[in-house]
Amino acid sequence: MSAPRDPRREYAPALAALVRQRQEWLALDCGSGLFDGGFRNGLAAAVDSARLMVSLAAGAAAAGRTAVCHAPAADLVAAAYAVLGGMDTLAPVVLVGVVRGLCGADMAPMSALPDMAVVCPADGPEAVAALAALMDRREPAYLRLPGQPVPRVTAPGEPFAVGPLRPLRDGRNLCVLTAGALAAPALGAADRLLGQGIFAAVIHAPTVRPLDADAVRLAARRTGRVLVCEEHGPAGGLGDAVRRALQGQPAVVDAVCFPGAGEGGDSLRTASDAIFLRAMDLMEW
Amino acid sequence: MRKDDLIERIGAEAGAGRPDLAPLAAALADGTAEDEPFRIVVGCRWAGPVIREALVRRGVDPFVTVIQVPGGLPSDDVPGWAAGLAMALDGTRVYCLTDVGTALRGPALEAARFIGLQSPNRLTLVAWGFRPAGCDPAAAYAALGWTAMEAGGGNGAGLRRVFASCARGSLPAAVFAFFPESGEEAAP
């Protein structure tokens, strides 16, 4: 694993540069902690209430601007439901939720909003690339930004498209599907599995919704076993989406969830251990 | 005054629980007759066609009468939505029509506070309804950095004057159009 880097520190300057280039973009912030370093000067407006921020963004979107809102994930979920939940057509706003540690139950409610894309990048470079892709798409989207240092699994400047899976490692015995910051621990677990003679494919699914169901079925057909790893509760996240995609398919599916595993490098090591052990269990099926 | 009382009174005076917005729309038509571009955001679905019809009747070109009713958006969030529209539409005046109760609730006041710090801003909030007891809405908005005015009588004459004065300003403006209390004669 590469040295962990804080995606928030990579994201904020990249957003500042993007907003300077793209005059039609409007960045709003409500206590995300992303812009404390000074990215304010007319580029990101600070708003006291997440609900107001989402209302402002929806109004700006109606005028053709592309607005991106930043807040702690839990605040953003509540605000999105209060403002957008009943709208006839969901406003094309991009919501960026900062999660603290490997925890959260934000993807399930966000996935339940109609037409809302849910993107869970693995690291800072992927978060920046995903933001640019989501802003150009002009559809409602939720981007989940890891709030702790994570090892890089993508390189700066790599293109991002909403939907496709990103294979990180090939393997024939087992497919480990990950979302968000668990890509790096899954790669670590795959290294240890190799020592046991198990060739595990690691596939990163940055887009949880809409999930590339065809690619998931293809991966399941090749290996017969799928282990889903996600930093979310067992309901409504990547695991559920994968099970729906594999309904009726001859594949064994299991999920390892980290809905509240704490913060920092220790939690990533713990996650890697848990993925390894669950993969070993799955191989006995 | 309790909300139930208010609804009852509106119902008695305007029928079907809907206040008569024609004077407000007439004043708005005169106010928007200035040659600056404008948009109107209406907080409730039924009021949109009423305002539109009144504007067209007063000679406002139906093709430039942009009335936006964000479908399904909670009425409390409409002022914030309109503020976002005003932020995004540089040089266009945005009129946000809502009721006094909504204008004094938390989300609208949060929006008012935010907008009060943004200068210049071309948002005009128009709130209609009965005068709330024990509260001065105009003073509340003025304290948040708005040009806030009352247009008494609710019949359009006061509103026309107020629109004429705020249409030229670059500060956000709040106009409170209070319905006449029972027994009170509307000004001509």
Side-chain angles (χ1 to χ4, degrees):
Chain A
M1 269 193 246
S2 67
R5 297 184 198 210
D6 191 339
R8 293 170 297 183
R9 295 192 178 193
E10 297 175 84
Y11 176 90
L15 175 66
L18 285 169
V19 171
R20 276 191 202 98
Q21 284 169 14
R22 310 283 291 270
Q23 296 294 316
E24 74 277 15
W25 286 17
L26 177 68
L28 301 166
D29 174 50
C30 177
S32 68
L34 286 169
F35 307 115
D36 294 344
F39 166 46
R40 282 271 163 87
N41 308 320
L43 295 172
V47 187
D48 287 341
S49 142
R51 181 171 173 170
L52 171 61
M53 176 176 65
V54 176
S55 305
L56 289 166
R65 295 280 292 270
T66 308
V68 55
C69 301
H70 304 84
D75 296 351
L76 211 47
V77 169
Y81 266 80
V83 178
L84 307 176
M87 287 189 84
D88 300 345
T89 308
L90 215 58
V93 294
V94 177
L95 308 174
V96 179
V98 180
V99 290
R100 299 285 296 169
L102 290 179
C103 64
D106 50 336
M107 287 198 287
M110 287 300 194
S111 297
L113 286 169
D115 303 325
M116 179 73 86
V118 176
V119 173
C120 228
D123 53 21
E126 190 171 47
V128 172
L131 174 73
L134 292 173
M135 296 288 274
D136 286 337
R137 190 168 162 261
R138 286 200 53 76
E139 301 274 342
Y142 174 62
L143 177 69
R144 185 187 221 234
L145 191 63
Q148 63 163 359
V150 289
R152 272 188 178 174
V153 296
T154 67
E158 276 187 36
F160 182 91
V162 177
L165 302 182
R166 189 191 284 259
L168 298 176
R169 176 173 299 186
D170 204 8
R172 61 175 184 273
N173 302 125
L174 167 75
C175 171
V176 181
L177 261 173
T178 73
L182 288 176
L187 285 170
D191 285 342
R192 291 170 65 189
L193 288 167
L194 203 57
Q196 304 291 320
I198 299 166
F199 294 85
V202 179
I203 300 177
H204 175 47
T207 310
V208 174
R209 187 186 188 220
L211 184 69
D212 186 348
D214 289 340
V216 170
R217 281 192 282 270
L218 185 66
R221 268 201 296 275
R222 288 182 62 194
T223 60
R225 292 179 176 85
V226 176
L227 178 63
V228 180
C229 312
E230 59 180 326
E231 40 180 333
H232 192 271
L238 179 64
D240 272 359
V242 168
R243 283 193 190 92
R244 273 198 302 278
L246 294 180
Q247 242 170 13
Q249 300 284 314
V252 182
V253 184
D254 197 2
V256 53
C257 302
F258 302 91
E263 199 174 337
D266 282 348
S267 68
L268 293 176
R269 273 190 293 279
T270 309
S272 188
D273 290 346
I275 294 166
F276 170 74
L277 292 172
R278 192 64 72 88
M280 292 296 289
D281 283 350
L282 192 60
M283 290 307 296
E284 288 174 11
W285 277 75
Chain B
M1 180 184 291
R2 290 188 309 115
K3 190 181 174 189
D4 291 347
D5 296 338
L6 184 68
I7 291 168
E8 198 176 312
R9 287 186 57 181
I10 291 172
E13 289 178 25
R18 293 173 180 180
D20 180 11
L21 293 183
L24 178 64
L28 197 58
D30 290 350
T32 54
E34 308 284 329
D35 53 3
E36 69 169 0
F38 70 93
R39 291 203 192 187
I40 297 170
V41 178
V42 181
C44 50
R45 228 176 251 265
W46 64 266
V50 175
I51 299 282
R52 184 184 179 84
E53 191 190 328
L55 286 177
V56 171
R57 211 167 39 230
R58 300 283 296 192
V60 176
D61 185 346
F63 294 106
V64 300
T65 309
V66 183
I67 296 183
Q68 289 174 293
V69 185
L73 187 74
S75 60
D76 280 4
D77 296 305
V78 169
W81 192 92
L85 192 70
M87 276 170 71
L89 289 172
D90 203 16
T92 299
R93 181 160 290 278
V94 175
Y95 293 91
C96 174
L97 272 57
T98 186
D99 62 283
V100 173
T102 299
L104 293 176
R105 278 201 287 276
L109 288 174
E110 280 171 356
R113 184 168 171 273
F114 176 79
I115 284 296
L117 299 171
Q118 309 281 313
S119 186
N121 192 283
R122 301 171 74 78
L123 176 69
T124 298
L125 181 85
V126 183
W128 73 78
F130 290 105
R131 184 186 297 278
C135 164
D136 183 353
Y141 272 72
L144 294 171
W146 289 55
T147 303
M149 287 163 275
E150 273 189 27
N155 62 354
L159 275 169
R160 268 181 223 117
R161 282 195 296 274
V162 168
F163 279 131
S165 66
C166 73
R168 294 179 197 90
S170 60
L171 286 175
V175 178
F176 292 92
F178 295 123
F179 297 145
E181 296 293 330
S182 53
E184 183 184 332
E185 281 298 313

